[in-house]
Structure formats: structure tokens, C-alpha cells
Amino acid sequence: MTDQRGAALLRGGISSPRATFLELFFDLVFVFALTRVSQRLIDDVSAHGPDLLRELAETVLLFLALWMVWSLTAWVTSRYEPESSAIQFVVVASMFASLVMAVAMPRAFAERAVTFAVAYLAVQVGRPLLLTLALRRHPRRSVTARILLWSAVAAVPWLVGALVPVTRPVLWTLALALDYAGLALGWPLPGLGSARAAGWAVMGEHLAERYQQFFLIALGETILVTGLTFSGGDFSSTQAAAFTVSFVTTALLWRIYFHRAGHVLAEALRASERPGLLGESASWTHLVIVAGVLLTGVGYELVIAHPWGRTAPSWTIFVLGGPALFLAARARFEYEIFGRVSRSRVAGVLLLVALVPVGLRLPPTVVLVLAAVVLAAIAAGDGLRARGRPLEQPASPL
């Protein structure tokens, strides 16, 4: 009886592969959360202080903590029945904790450190604890128990770092490294080995849709930042030009992502004999893709607010580095789906990097235009190669 009650939590053959309305509701928190990440990055760059690199590293750490919460929640709803009351409670509780993390983020390394850490640990420790109890004696309970033990160990530096400010950067870096090491290694335990996500049974189509939705959330955040910056500015012709180029760049990111590989991700996962392996790899890839989009969005705000003059060296990280990071991750994504990489994406990354010294001598709007031209050339090349050809079928080497 206990095994049957635990098995009721697992996805069955009649489960819909589509994301539920509750999951889409959950994603709304991350629209706000990603704006907090962007605002922190903008504040870091605008300060121009000697601690710029440290502050940027802190923002990256907070973003990685948010991604950990979102990605593991996506895996939970791909492995367990999202319509069950226990899983719905997990999603709603994770949603509230994520909102608290986002609210605390601007001052997470200052007076809101305890709030941020406790909210994060409420998900990281509370979620596997609840699932372990709900699964009862079901064999899958061993996986959630592993995650619980690793999260409990990582909770120590999270809490100590929150309470002792001088140790916070080092201990939080260690804690997050433990969380990501557990995820990458499969939360190994002595004598029991590991349980890597690559070997999990998941609803592949559902997982693909969740990655695509989070990518769209990141694009939506750039639209939000672009609109807010332009509407709050002088509404000048130069700002209007930067605003227009920013929108075009966002549309190009969308086009490049969904061309072929992004379009057939669900099919690739559905056809895979080991969807967990492809899903795990795609998770890391989408982390970098989203990071590239966020950096690009920060570049939009910097350019719209200061469309003319000289481009500051740190701005190139966002205006040129963001699209370059996106293209590099998109090239890996293409390899995951088709086992090849288009030369145009590699050339695009190299060209964007090569434009950095040139961009330092040009106005920010012109630098943004150059980045958009590179992306437009890649999108046009994709379209020309695909014209008249049937949709390519996935052939993942994974």
C-alpha cells in the first residue's frame, strides 16, 4: 500500500506532456527575479568602483542560485505528476520562496542575506524532504534522500555565511559549488554511488517546453527592461534609435534560438532512448543561453540611457559579450540536437569578440548596431540554407 501511494506521485502514461497552468504561474515570479538580476548588474557597472569584479561575481552567484531553484523545479514536474496535491504544494512553495529571494536580491550580500539564504534553503532542503516523505518506501525515494543529504550539508555554509558577513562571499561560493557539484555528479554517497539526472526517467516533451519557456521569460525580461528604460528617458531621437535596435536584436535572438534546433528539441527528447541524458546536457546549455540574453538586456539599458559618447570598457561585456555568449551556447545546443555546429555561429562569436577594441572607440548605439548586424547575418544565413529543404530531423549524439 505504501509503495502504491508513493507511486501515485510519479508521472503515468496518461500525464499530459504540456506544462500546467500552475507551472506558467510559477514562471511569472522569474520575470520579476530576472529584472532584479539585471538591475544588480546595471548598478554594478554604473558604480564604476574598484570592487566592480567582486560585485559582478556576487550577482552571478545570486543568478545561479535562482537557476538552481527553477531548473530543479522543472525536473520535479517532469518526473512527478504535476496534478497531484503534493507536487502542486511543492511548486507553490517554491514560487513563494523564489519571490522572497528576488525581493532580497538587491541587498542579498548586505542586510537581506539571512532572508535570501533562508528562502533558498527552504526550497533546496524543504523540497527533497517533502518528496522523500511523500514517496514512502518507493525505490525513487533514494534519489530524493540523496539530494536532501547534499542540500543539508550545503546549508551549513549558506547559513554561516548569512550570519557572518566577513565570511559571506567565500562560504556562499562554497555552498553553491556544493549544490552544483551534487547536481553534476548525481549526489553520490559512500557505498551507494551516484544517481545522475542523465539516467532519470523524465517526460522529455515537458522538459523541452520548460526550457523553451524559460528562454522566452529571459527575452520577456529584456523587453521589459527596454520598455521601462525608454519610457523613463528623454524620448529623444537617439534613444528611439537605440530602443529600436534593442528590439530588433531581441527578435534576432528569438529567431536564432528557435531555428531548427530550438524547434525540434521536444522531438529530440521524445525520440531519445535516454532523455535524461539529453535533458541534463540541455539544462546546462540553457543556463548559459539565458545568461547571454540577460547580459544583452543589460546592454540595452546602458545604450538606451546613454546612446552617444564613448563606450565604457565594461559595457562591452554586455553589448558584445552577451550576444557572443548566447551564440556560443546556441552552438553547443545545435550539437546536442544534430551532432554538428554551424560555422556561422563560431564565426559570429569570433567576430563579436574581435569588435571589442573597435567598439571602445565608437558610440554605444553604433556598437549595438554592429552586434545586431552580426546576429542578422547569422539569421539570414540560417534562412538561406533552410530554404526549400525539409525540416531536419534530430540526430543527437547524446
Side-chain angles (χ1 to χ4, degrees), residues 13-243:
I14 61 173
S15 295
S16 172
R18 302 302 303 272
T20 65
F21 291 120
L22 178 58
E23 291 173 277
L24 299 178
F25 183 43
F26 169 75
D27 286 347
L28 294 179
V29 168
F30 284 85
V31 177
F32 172 70
L34 292 183
T35 63
R36 297 304 87 200
V37 175
S38 295
Q39 190 58 54
R40 271 192 65 105
L41 289 171
I42 292 167
D43 292 343
D44 294 342
V45 174
S46 299
H48 293 295
D51 297 327
L52 174 61
L53 292 179
R54 177 183 61 81
E55 292 168 352
L56 288 175
E58 290 175 355
T59 303
V60 170
L61 186 149
L62 299 176
F63 165 68
L64 290 175
L66 279 172
W67 174 263
M68 175 67 73
V69 170
W70 183 89
S71 62
L72 285 183
T73 302
W75 278 86
V76 165
T77 53
S78 286
R79 279 172 60 79
Y80 301 97
E81 178 52 60
E83 298 296 339
S84 71
S85 57
I87 301 305
Q88 289 181 343
F89 175 80
V90 167
V91 174
V92 172
S94 299
M95 179 180 180
F96 179 70
S98 301
L99 181 60
V100 173
M101 290 170 63
V103 170
M105 184 171 291
R107 304 290 297 170
F109 273 85
E111 68 273 10
R112 299 180 187 173
V114 173
T115 301
F116 183 89
V118 170
Y120 176 76
L121 293 176
V123 181
Q124 289 299 101
V125 177
R127 177 173 50 204
L129 175 60
L130 188 148
L131 291 174
T132 300
L133 295 175
L135 286 169
R136 299 177 179 268
R137 297 179 182 177
H138 193 277
R140 194 173 287 184
R141 185 173 185 262
S142 63
V143 176
T144 59
R146 293 167 185 272
I147 300 174
L148 176 60
L149 289 174
W150 270 76
S151 299
V153 172
V156 176
W158 273 112
L159 291 175
V160 174
L163 295 171
V164 185
V166 69
T167 66
R168 190 167 299 149
V170 174
L171 289 183
W172 278 15
T173 301
L174 172 63
L176 193 65
L178 285 173
D179 285 331
Y180 272 87
L183 176 61
L185 300 175
W187 303 277
L189 294 177
L192 297 177
S194 63
R196 287 187 57 186
W200 291 358
V202 296
M203 183 71 73
E205 293 176 78
H206 174 270
L207 200 59
E209 186 174 340
R210 297 300 289 137
Y211 291 149
Q212 293 166 341
Q213 287 165 353
F214 199 83
F215 170 72
L216 292 175
I217 289 171
L219 288 184
E221 188 275 337
T222 67
I223 294 292
L224 180 62
V225 167
T226 302
L228 289 175
T229 305
F230 184 49
S231 65
D234 298 330
F235 234 63
S236 64
S237 58
T238 53
Q239 285 187 326
F243 169 77

